[in-house]
Amino acid sequence: MSKLSLPVRLVLLVAGTTLPLILFAVGIVYHDYEKDRREATQRVLETVRSIRITLDAEMRRMTGGLQVLALTNALRSGDFANFGAMASGFLDQYAKDGVILVADRNGQLVFSSRKLDTPSLPVRNNREMVDQVFASRQPQYSNLFEGVVKKRTVLTVEVPVFRDGTVVYDISFSPPLEVFQSIIEKQRPSADWTVTMLDREGKVFARIPNPAATFGKRATSSLYDQMFQTDEATLTSTSLEGVPLITAYSRSPLTGWTVAAGVSEGSLVAPLWRDLAITSLTGGLLLLVGLAFAVRMATTIARGEMLHNLLIEELNHRVKNTLAILQAIAVQTFRGATKTEREKFEGRLGALAEAHNLLSSEKWQGSELKDVLDRVLQPYLINSPDRIRMLGPRVPLPPRVAVVLSMIVHEIATNAAKYGALSNDTGTVAVEWEILSENNNPQLRLIWRESGGPPVTAPVQRGFGSRLIERSARDQLGGEATVDFLPRGVVCTITCALADMQ
């Protein structure tokens, strides 16, 4: 064999040094693509969970408002003239398209917020929903159907009205569908995402993109065949426009509706091809530049890989901290879990979401104590604002304290609605706060005082809610919380040091 020439040797040397680097770079690109794909799948799942929690919080707010209306004497006694004014107060929260209907056991409408001529009111279209409300004695949530008053496709929230322990009416609210569209528009991460809300039959009632063109359509078979097998899953599917998606869905245990979201496969494949092209071009240049540049490039890649791993470790640390908090709440709440306990857990997450919504609106610069209280107590202030009196000075709160206080007040208000002053028509609540100064260390003291409710008896054992209140005040606010079960009503006192609110 003839001796190889120097150029050939140099070519082989450069090729032998550079080609492994090119292959290595291609491997990194593909590895990053697979990692990005896994992260995108997880991100889609977390997004649908977040949207589903927001949807559930909104539906609980609607349901709570209807339940407040259902407790009014005007409705229970059939005084629909006075009830109409109360219904208008509820509808003022929404656009003009919202409608409240009241039907008897036979589905005959006896009240409509749109038609004042009661004798001319028709029979409800979806009689099965009325039957379910009377049979279950619980709130119900409909699929899409043709509304008898609106004369177009609607969704409804249905709540029973009791008189002497017997269901006498079904009060129904058909919210503007723009409410649901607004939720997904606000939480859609980017333009290459598809986000959809579907009823229990898999029909679209809110969607981005193309909401008008896809409204009322059934989900594609790739999603429809899977979504009724489990409450939550990730999968690959095809959108109604025929676009391949990395998809996740989560079904609400409250309404039975499903939130699905997907990110375009092309948004991940396009960067892959771009990165491969850049890598190939860089490899060609490396072949021309030589061994020195190849060695330098190897050093640069190694340094970049080290920084890459460092950033991943930091990200994992932050995510684990967040998951640890949620896991701690879940373990405490779902130990021997019942349906009521699961609802408590979702209520707490809903309170946490409300606090985050308030902070997001303030761009995480903190919020006012009064605003935090208004947001948490909104379901109880809709039609009876005089039942809860709030009095105190202006107190700015940092984000962490706003979140903790919102969860504490949510727990107290939930207990009051179930067992205390907010569980009847006569009870009232006074929420007062003040700034105390001891040794130049200002402290916030907030007092929740109930009166006019059912007779109070101290519980035999403390529940998780009480422990949550006390531990949150102590461990996260650096203060304390006490709950006194006085005969005239529960009194809860919360204190925390303002100097430590960082």
Side-chain angles (χ1 to χ4, degrees), residues 233-457:
T234 59
L235 66 154
T236 56
S237 69
T238 303
S239 72
L240 291 171
E241 294 83 6
V243 178
L245 300 175
I246 297 175
T247 304
Y249 69 86
S250 179
R251 183 161 53 252
S252 167
L254 175 68
T255 62
W257 300 341
T258 300
V259 176
V263 61
S264 169
E265 291 262 16
S267 65
L268 298 177
V269 175
L272 171 65
W273 288 113
R274 184 186 67 244
D275 292 344
L276 287 175
I278 293 174
T279 301
S280 300
L281 178 60
T282 302
L285 294 175
L286 288 175
L287 286 171
L288 298 176
V289 171
L291 179 61
F293 190 77
V295 172
R296 184 177 179 182
M297 179 59 70
T299 304
T300 302
I301 293 175
R303 187 181 299 114
E305 185 74 6
M306 180 180 65
L307 178 59
H308 179 72
N309 291 334
L310 180 62
L311 292 175
I312 290 179
E313 291 176 1
E314 175 66 17
L315 177 61
N316 288 337
H317 176 70
R318 292 174 183 247
V319 172
K320 288 178 180 178
N321 284 345
T322 302
L323 292 178
I325 295 173
L326 293 177
Q327 185 179 17
I329 296 176
V331 168
Q332 290 293 330
T333 304
F334 294 149
R335 184 176 297 164
T338 64
K339 179 180 179 181
T340 300
E341 290 169 337
R342 289 193 296 270
E343 290 176 351
K344 286 182 180 179
F345 175 63
E346 293 192 356
R348 288 162 184 149
L349 284 184
L352 184 62
E354 285 297 315
H356 279 255
N357 288 339
L358 178 59
L359 292 170
S360 296
S361 66
E362 299 295 334
K363 298 183 179 180
W364 283 88
Q365 298 299 314
S367 57
E368 289 291 326
L369 174 59
K370 179 66 164 53
D371 294 336
V372 172
L373 295 175
D374 285 339
R375 183 65 68 97
V376 176
L377 300 176
Q378 180 62 33
Y380 314 101
L381 295 171
I382 295 175
N383 290 299
S384 301
D386 295 336
R387 295 189 66 185
I388 301 179
R389 179 174 59 88
M390 290 182 279
L391 180 64
R394 177 179 178 273
V395 181
L397 301 178
R400 179 176 62 85
V401 177
V403 171
V404 175
L405 274 180
S406 69
M407 294 193 68
I408 291 176
V409 174
H410 168 76
E411 288 295 325
I412 300 173
T414 299
N415 289 334
K418 288 183 176 180
Y419 317 109
L422 298 180
S423 66
N424 60 16
D425 294 333
T426 60
T428 60
V429 174
V431 185
E432 301 175 349
W433 62 90
E434 59 182 342
I435 304 298
L436 306 177
S437 181
E438 297 182 3
N439 300 324
N440 295 324
N441 293 323
Q443 287 188 327
L444 169 67
R445 180 169 68 184
L446 185 145
I447 302 175
W448 173 286
R449 185 178 291 109
E450 300 181 19
S451 60
V456 176
T457 57

Side-chain angles (χ1 to χ4, degrees), residues 12 59 105 123 133 156 181 188 195 206 241 284 292 386 405 415 439 487:
L12 292 177
M59 297 312 297
R105 181 180 293 273
V123 177
V133 171
T156 58
Q181 190 69 27
R188 185 191 191 191
V195 184
E241 294 83 6
D386 295 336
L405 274 180
N415 289 334
N439 300 324

